[in-house]
């Protein structure tokens, strides 16, 4: 198996996996979404809320506010269901407080954390609006969880793959130069000098087959390479995408080890 990174930034990574099987690639996708630990607000204690926003709506907005959950931030913390405390403690949680008086818009940056390494990823997420002399006072507790338990613990906003596109031409058929204009992603380029269509940026091909439907001469064929894949992971900023991928691989490896051990008994 070979892996080639095509692009990477702080929130997204795109890479190609060659010589792999669909079940393996899909297992990585599912684990990256559902079984990579992330910290998110779980408990909300609202002391005062004079705004027009219902407490339940505000709690929901707080729960979906992404918090920095990289390995440096949550290292040493325990999963909430594995901690021996009765409700929550510093070993399994981080507390935030919010106390503001209107008028004004309250943003995620107004949440004050007890741990400087764990804070909202983005400072400008609007939480609610206060009018003159309205107050908001609350305390929230963030805990580590998994996406399979609740969507707020899913670290990825996009986690998907597609099989590597493959475009071939029937040399015995008449060249249809108009297909280059049909392609919505400009994958095909008309080259009348060489009397053929050229393929460019094939990795951008969505395999929509718009060109096939417009082809009356059976000149073009759209398919895919069965064991090659283009994989894309985009996160909400709580974890770097490479950490999500690395942790997903670790989880899959642990699962495989447990299965092997079980099969030997």
């Amino acid at each position: 198996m070979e892996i080639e990174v095509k692009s990477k930034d702080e929130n997204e990574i795109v890479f190609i996996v060659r010589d792999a099987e669909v079940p393996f690639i899909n297992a990585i996708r599912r684990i990256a979404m559902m079984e990579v630990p992330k910290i998110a607000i779980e408990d909300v204690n609202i002391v005062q809320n004079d705004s027009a926003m219902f407490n339940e709506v505000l709690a929901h907005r707080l729960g979906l506010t992404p918090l920095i959950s990289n390995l440096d931030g949550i290292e040493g913390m325990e999963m909430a269901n594995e901690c021996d405390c009765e409700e929550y403690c510093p070993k399994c949680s981080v507390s935030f407080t919010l106390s503001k008086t209107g008028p004004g818009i309250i943003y995620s940056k107004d949440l004050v954390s007890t741990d400087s390494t764990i804070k909202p990823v983005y400072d400008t997420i609007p939480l609610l609006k206060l009018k003159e002399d309205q107050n908001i006072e609350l305390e929230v507790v963030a805990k580590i969880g998994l996406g399979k338990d609740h969507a707020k613990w899913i670290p990825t906003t996009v986690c998907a793959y597609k099989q590597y596109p493959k475009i071939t031409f029937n040399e015995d058929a008449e060249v249809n130069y108009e297909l280059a204009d049909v392609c919505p992603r400009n994958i095909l380029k008309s080259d009348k000098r060489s009397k053929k269509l050229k393929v460019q940026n094939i990795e951008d091909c969505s395999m929509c087959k718009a060109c096939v439907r417009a082809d009356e001469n059976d000149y073009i064929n759209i398919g895919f390479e069965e064991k090659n894949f283009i994989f894309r992971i985009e996160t909400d900023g709580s974890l770097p995408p490479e950490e999500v991928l690395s942790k997903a691989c670790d989880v899959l490896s642990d699962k495989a080890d447990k299965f092997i051990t079980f099969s030997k008994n």
Side-chain angles (χ1 to χ4, degrees), residues 59-71:
H60 184 261
R61 293 174 73 93
L62 289 166
L64 294 179
T65 299
L67 306 177
I68 293 176
S69 304
N70 56 36
L71 296 180

Side-chain angles (χ1 to χ4, degrees), residues 32-215:
M33 294 173 61
M34 300 299 174
E35 299 188 54
V36 173
K38 170 189 167 182
I39 194 166
I41 292 173
E42 170 72 349
D43 299 321
V44 179
N45 179 24
I46 298 178
V47 179
Q48 184 178 5
N49 178 17
D50 297 333
S51 72
M53 183 174 289
F54 292 114
N55 291 349
E56 294 83 359
V57 177
L58 176 57
H60 184 261
R61 293 174 73 93
L62 289 166
L64 294 179
T65 299
L67 306 177
I68 293 176
S69 304
N70 56 36
L71 296 180
D72 293 335
I74 64 175
E75 185 177 7
M77 292 184 65
E78 299 182 9
M79 296 283 290
N81 58 359
E82 297 176 356
C83 188
D84 55 6
C85 66
E86 293 185 2
E87 191 171 356
Y88 60 88
C89 69
K91 291 193 301 181
C92 66
S93 64
V94 175
S95 297
F96 293 80
T97 57
L98 174 60
S99 180
K100 286 286 183 177
T101 300
I105 298 176
I106 308 303
Y107 293 95
S108 53
K109 65 181 178 180
D110 296 315
L111 288 167
V112 180
S113 174
T114 56
D115 186 338
S116 60
T117 61
I118 299 178
K119 57 185 179 179
V121 175
Y122 307 104
D123 292 337
T124 55
I125 300 175
L127 299 177
L128 75 162
K129 184 177 182 179
L130 296 177
K131 294 184 177 180
E132 186 75 32
D133 296 328
Q134 288 184 337
N135 297 305
I136 181 68
E137 184 179 353
L138 56 82
E139 179 184 9
V140 300
V141 177
K143 299 179 181 179
I144 298 177
L146 301 177
K148 63 182 181 180
D149 297 322
H150 195 282
K152 65 186 175 186
W153 283 308
I154 298 177
T156 60
T157 53
V158 174
C159 188
Y161 67 88
K162 67 177 180 181
Q163 289 173 302
Y164 201 94
K166 183 179 181 180
I167 301 176
T168 58
F169 302 100
N170 182 3
E171 300 297 338
D172 296 330
E174 182 181 353
V175 179
N176 188 347
Y177 297 105
E178 295 180 357
L179 298 182
D181 299 325
V182 173
C183 179
R185 296 195 174 188
N186 298 318
I187 306 299
L188 301 174
K189 181 179 180 181
S190 176
D191 188 354
K192 294 185 178 181
R193 178 174 297 181
S194 61
K195 297 183 179 180
K196 62 181 181 180
L197 290 179
K198 290 186 176 181
V199 178
Q200 56 187 7
N201 304 321
I202 190 171
E203 293 170 9
D204 292 335
C205 177
S206 64
M207 294 181 280
C208 67
K209 295 189 177 181
C211 55
V212 174
R213 291 191 293 271
D215 183 18

Side-chain angles (χ1 to χ4, degrees), residues 251-265:
V251 172
L252 181 59
S253 179
D254 291 341
K255 287 178 177 288
D257 290 341
K258 290 179 181 178
F259 185 81
I260 292 172
T261 301
F262 172 79
S263 64
K264 290 181 178 179
N265 294 335

